[in-house]
Every structure is written in structure tokens, then in C-alpha cells.
């Protein structure tokens, strides 16, 4: 009999226990093992060379934080059954199981606006059949339908264990210390009031630190102008490849990637799902390496940008760029390369962030009196009132001439 209660050594959280056999069985499954071959942060390692960690890493870390959070709540007298504990840990473990290659960038390109959460749910249901219904509670929690709301909130809200893990993990691997949050302190402040997740009032500054760390990570890392550009280029590459294939061009690619390049708009079939679970970052990297030599100038240009890390120039602004300025960049591109579709290589990208949404699942503070207050209404808050506005940045990308 195999020992399934393993311990994993994680660089961010230290030793992680797998306390239930079903967790081990899910981790061992090919659907989950695929996450080892899917980068957590897309092409971020072109900007932060250390950012080569994977979705596999992150899912295990989030599972560990869920375990820690549930232990904390139990110590505070919250009744949590074994079934609920397993359910919550399984739900967070599998929350990214439907991610496509290179994270978010390629979801809609490959599966026609299939969000990874739809795919995750589909794969969870398949696993549930395989494991004789042991994942039913997890699926209910993942969908946010469990009758005790705090379980759903631990999985997905403005302060969930998913965010707690990826902020710390991405901060660790990118070396951007502004994203480093004290997850243990935040988790130790978690509590439940009327079946909703709340934070003990004395944890207010830890929460503000978490929200601002997340804001800094977005602007400094995820929305860094070159990160935004690299993600955008990936989409452009697949868009161009799909367009060429539709025009009858035979583009060399792995069998599974070829399948998706040829796939029209339709409802997902069993074969789609089967092939999707065989697809990972390697298929896309291999294709980009080969397509550098494509006869199509646009495809070849974009692929060289990524593979040789010869990225276009970018300018960032808080206002949209002037049309004339953009036209001038397009004309220069056409003249330099001797082409007439330079507009394919000059793009304005924008990114926006609302650091804290006071309406959508606000964070509540539990006062000593037992009263519950919204974070932005607390007299103790210092910053929450300042981070409730959306910020937007515009990035103009054009070839280096």
C-alpha cells in the first residue's frame, strides 16, 4: 500500500503536508501533473528571469494555505467537518486545473472564450466521476454554491487563499519585494461571523498591506509595460497562426496545437477536452521556434520577438496616445521593413486595475463588540479609502527601427 500522506518541500511556505489521501490521488492525476508544464506567470521570465515557477507550484501552495486557514478557524471555535475540510482543500487545489498554456493570454484564442474556470469545472466533474463522487463538495464550493458562505469566500473573494499564495510566490520568484505579504499574520486574523469570512479588527493594517502589495505587484510585475507586451504578442502570434491556417497555409505544429489552430467556433466536444488536457507551454514554445522562419513576415517577426527576446519598444502613458503619433509609427514601420501592413505591428494596449472594490464582496472587520464593519468604513483604515479608484495605463508598442 502506497503512503499517500506525503510532505512536499516548497521554497515559499516550507514543508507542506498532504493530510488526506484523496488530495494525493488528485495531485497524481495526469490532468493535475500537466500544471507542471504551465507557467504561473506566462512570459514574465523575459523581464524577471527568476519567474519560471509553475501552476503546479501555486496550486499546492494554495492548498497548504487553505489547510492553515481552516486550522485557524477551528481554533476559534468554528465547527468544520472532515468532509468540508477535504472539500475546501480539493477545491483550491483544482481551481486552476483548466488553465491553458501560458496562463490567461491564450484561453480565448484556443477555446473560443472558454474561461479557464469553465474548463476547470468540466475537468473537476470528470475527476469526480473517476473518484466516485468524492469531489462533489469541492465542486459546490468552487462554484460558490456551498451553503456556508465562508468556504466559498476562502476559495474566491477579494481576500482568498489563491491571492495570498500567488502574491507571495510571484514576489518571491520575481524578486519584487513590494509584493511580499505576511500570509501567516493575515490567516491568523481570519474569523467567521454569521457564516461569512471576516477579519479580526486588529488585523486591519495587515489587510491594507495585502491590498497595496497586490496593487504594486500588478503595476510593477503583471502590468509592467514589457509584461503586458509579451502577453499581447502571444495572443497576436496565435491569432496570426489561426488566420494563416484558415487561408490554407500549412503551419508546422504539434498535433494538439494544430488541432486547435484548425478548430472553428463550436461547442466543446469530448475530443476538444481530451486534446486540451494534452496541451501545455511546450507546444507553444516549439511552434514559435519553428515559426520564426515562416514566410509570413508578421508571424515570423512576432515569434522572433519572443524567442530571441528582441521585444518591440514600448511607451507608457496615463492617457491614450494621439492618433497622428500612432499613424507616424505605422508609416515608419512600413518604410523600414518595406511592407504595407505595418499596422499589424503597432499597437496600443491598455491595462486597468481597481485595487479594492467596495461593492463586490467587500472585506469585513469584526470588532471586539461583535459588530461587523466594512474595511473602507473603519476609522482605523489608513489607505483603503485611497485605493477604491480604478487606474488605467496605456502602452504603445512599435518595432525597434
Amino acid at each position: 500500500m502506497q503512503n499517500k500522506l506525503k510532505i512536499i518541500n516548497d521554497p515559499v511556505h516550507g514543508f507542506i503536508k498532504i493530510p488526506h489521501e484523496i488530495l494525493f490521488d488528485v495531485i497524481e492525476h495526469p490532468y493535475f501533473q500537466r500544471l507542471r508544464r504551465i507557467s504561473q506567470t506566462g512570459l514574465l521570465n523575459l523581464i524577471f528571469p527568476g519567474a519560471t515557477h509553475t501552476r503546479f507550484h501555486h496550486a499546492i501552495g494554495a492548498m497548504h494555505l487553505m489547510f492553515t486557514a481552516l486550522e485557524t478557524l477551528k481554533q476559534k471555535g468554528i465547527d468544520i467537518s472532515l468532509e468540508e475540510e477535504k472539500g475546501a482543500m480539493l477545491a483550491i487545489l483544482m481551481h486552476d486545473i483548466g488553465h491553458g498554456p501560458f496562463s490567461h493570454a491564450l484561453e480565448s484564442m484556443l477555446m473560443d472564450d472558454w474561461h479557464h474556470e469553465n474548463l476547470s469545472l468540466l475537468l473537476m466533474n470528470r475527476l469526480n466521476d473517476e473518484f466516485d463522487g468524492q469531489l462533489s463538495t469541492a465542486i459546490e464550493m468552487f462554484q460558490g454554491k456551498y451553503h456556508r458562505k465562508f468556504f466559498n469566500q476562502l476559495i474566491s473573494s477579494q481576500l482568498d487563499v489563491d491571492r495570498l499564495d500567488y502574491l507571495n510566490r510571484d514576489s518571491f520568484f520575481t524578486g519584487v519585494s513590494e509584493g511580499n505579504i505576511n500570509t501567516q499574520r493575515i490567516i491568523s486574523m481570519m474569523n467567521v461571523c454569521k457564516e461569512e469570512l471576516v477579519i479580526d479588527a486588529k488585523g486591519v493594517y495587515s489587510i491594507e498591506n495585502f491590498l497595496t502589495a497586490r496593487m504594486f505587484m500588478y503595476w510593477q510585475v503583471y502590468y509592467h509595460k514589457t509584461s503586458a507586451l509579451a502577453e499581447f504578442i502571444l495572443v497576436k502570434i496565435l491569432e496570426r497562426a489561426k488566420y494563416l491556417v484558415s487561408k490554407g497555409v500549412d503551419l508546422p505544429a504539434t498535433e494538439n496545437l494544430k488541432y486547435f489552430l484548425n478548430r472553428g467556433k463550436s461547442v466543446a466536444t469530448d475530443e476538444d477536452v481530451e486534446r486540451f488536457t494534452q496541451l501545455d507551454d511546450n507546444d507553444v514554445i516549439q511552434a514559435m521556434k519553428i515559426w520564426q522562419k515562416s514566410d509570413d513576415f508578421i508571424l515570423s517577426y512576432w515569434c522572433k520577438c519572443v524567442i530571441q527576446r528582441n521585444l518591440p519598444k514600448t511607451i507608457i502613458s496615463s492617457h491614450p496616445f494621439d492618433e497622428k503619433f500612432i499613424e507616424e509609427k505605422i508609416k515608419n514601420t512600413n518604410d523600414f521593413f518595406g511592407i504595407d501592413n505595418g499596422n499589424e505591428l503597432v499597437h496600443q494596449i491598455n491595462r486597468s486595475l481597481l485595487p479594492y472594490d467596495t461593492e463586490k464582496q467587500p472585506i469585513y472587520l469584526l470588532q471586539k463588540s461583535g459588530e461587523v464593519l466594512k474595511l473602507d468604513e473603519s476609522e482605523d483604515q489608513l489607505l483603503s479609502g485611497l485605493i477604491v479608484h480604478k487606474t488605467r495605463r496605456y502602452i504603445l508598442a512599435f518595432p525597434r527601427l
Side-chain angles (χ1 to χ4, degrees):
M1 178 64 189
Q2 187 184 8
N3 168 26
K4 296 181 177 180
L5 305 177
K6 303 273 186 196
I7 290 179
I8 295 170
N9 192 349
D10 176 70
V12 178
H13 304 304
F15 290 109
I16 291 178
K17 289 191 179 103
I18 300 177
H20 306 294
E21 292 194 359
I22 182 68
L23 293 168
F24 179 82
D25 291 334
V26 168
I27 291 169
E28 289 286 275
H29 195 280
Y31 285 176
F32 193 83
Q33 289 292 321
R34 180 183 74 99
L35 298 180
R36 289 181 184 273
R37 300 185 299 280
I38 293 194
S39 153
Q40 169 70 8
T41 46
L43 286 173
L44 222 90
N45 65 328
L46 292 178
I47 300 102
F48 303 95
T52 53
H53 54 305
T54 65
R55 293 259 154 207
F56 182 87
H57 246 147
H58 160 61
I60 302 264
M63 175 197 79
H64 167 70
L65 292 182
M66 177 63 84
F67 180 72
T68 316
L70 297 179
E71 288 298 302
T72 302
L73 295 177
K74 282 190 219 166
Q75 282 166 1
K76 294 188 180 179
I78 312 300
D79 191 33
I80 292 169
S81 71
L82 186 62
E83 180 57 35
E84 287 173 327
E85 181 181 302
K86 283 186 194 173
M89 290 180 75
L90 282 164
I92 200 71
L93 183 68
M94 297 186 292
H95 77 285
D96 276 347
I97 206 164
H99 253 292
F102 288 111
S103 306
H104 300 279
L106 305 183
E107 271 167 29
S108 55
M109 286 310 309
L110 293 173
M111 292 292 270
D112 301 326
D113 303 325
W114 265 52
H115 196 264
H116 68 268
E117 285 173 3
N118 299 346
L119 277 162
S120 291
L121 188 58
L122 202 130
L123 296 180
M124 279 185 196
N125 282 316
R126 290 192 161 204
L127 288 170
N128 199 23
D129 293 342
E130 263 184 64
F131 292 118
D132 304 325
Q134 289 187 73
L135 312 183
S136 300
T137 306
I139 291 170
E140 213 180 317
M141 289 177 177
F142 175 76
Q143 290 180 283
K145 293 177 177 170
Y146 195 66
H147 65 281
R148 302 182 74 187
K149 199 172 169 190
F150 71 90
F151 283 107
N152 310 328
Q153 290 168 316
L154 281 168
I155 292 157
S156 179
S157 65
Q158 290 201 81
L159 184 60
D160 55 38
V161 295
D162 174 26
R163 290 182 182 190
L164 290 179
D165 182 81
Y166 77 66
L167 283 179
N168 249 359
R169 191 167 299 281
D170 297 348
S171 153
F172 178 91
F173 283 98
T174 54
V176 175
S177 56
E178 285 79 359
N180 191 5
I181 50 170
N182 188 343
T183 45
Q184 295 309 316
R185 164 84 179 157
I186 293 171
I187 286 176
S188 72
M189 290 294 132
M190 287 181 171
N191 212 327
V192 171
C193 179
K194 296 180 182 154
E195 298 295 347
E196 293 227 19
L197 188 66
V198 293
I199 297 293
D200 291 333
K202 60 185 174 187
V204 60
Y205 301 132
S206 301
I207 302 307
E208 292 204 312
N209 182 34
F210 156 77
L211 292 170
T212 48
R214 183 169 174 269
M215 177 177 71
F216 285 128
M217 282 297 281
Y218 267 86
W219 289 120
Q220 218 171 324
V221 177
Y222 313 127
Y223 290 173
H224 180 291
K225 63 190 176 100
T226 319
S227 309
L229 171 68
E231 187 171 302
F232 181 78
I233 291 175
L234 269 181
V235 173
K236 284 287 157 206
I237 288 172
L238 279 191
E239 211 174 70
R240 189 72 184 173
K242 270 190 128 167
Y243 165 76
L244 293 170
V245 166
S246 74
K247 290 278 177 270
V249 177
D250 183 29
L251 281 182
T254 61
E255 197 188 326
N256 288 316
L257 183 56
K258 221 172 200 168
Y259 175 84
F260 284 106
L261 291 176
N262 281 296
R263 183 180 178 277
K265 281 200 179 295
S266 63
V267 178
T269 62
D270 278 353
E271 187 182 0
D272 289 344
V273 176
E274 202 40 56
R275 285 185 178 272
F276 184 83
T277 60
Q278 301 293 319
L279 206 58
D280 57 47
D281 290 4
N282 298 320
D283 296 85
V284 179
I285 292 171
Q286 190 183 349
M288 291 192 292
K289 280 165 67 177
I290 301 169
W291 296 345
Q292 289 180 97
K293 295 189 170 64
S294 168
D295 295 337
D296 181 70
F297 180 78
I298 304 288
L299 183 64
S300 149
Y301 172 82
W302 285 133
C303 290
K304 284 177 184 162
C305 285
V306 174
I307 299 295
Q308 299 172 17
R309 201 202 177 279
N310 184 9
L311 297 163
K313 275 187 85 92
T314 46
I315 324 174
I316 192 163
S317 161
S318 50
H319 305 287
F321 288 89
D322 182 58
E323 286 301 322
K324 273 195 186 133
F325 183 68
I326 297 174
E327 288 300 326
E328 185 192 317
K329 294 293 177 201
I330 294 173
K331 183 183 178 304
N332 294 346
T333 301
N334 282 334
D335 295 348
F336 185 83
F337 290 119
I339 54 176
D340 59 8
N341 54 351
N343 57 313
E344 294 275 1
L345 301 180
V346 178
H347 291 281
Q348 177 167 250
I349 311 163
N350 71 71
R351 290 285 184 270
S352 65
L353 179 70
L354 177 59
Y356 177 62
D357 191 333
T358 52
E359 299 307 311
K360 189 180 163 219
Q361 290 200 322
I363 296 169
Y364 287 101
L365 299 174
L366 179 63
Q367 310 297 314
K368 277 227 168 82
S369 62
E371 186 194 354
V372 170
L373 259 188
K374 275 168 120 178
L375 172 65
D376 51 300
E377 291 167 359
S378 158
E379 287 189 355
D380 292 326
Q381 62 90 12
L382 298 172
L383 298 165
S384 305
L386 303 172
I387 55 173
V388 295
H389 308 293
K390 194 175 251 187
T391 30
R392 190 181 288 275
R393 298 274 183 277
Y394 297 85
I395 300 159
L396 187 68
F398 50 92
R400 291 174 190 275
L401 310 176

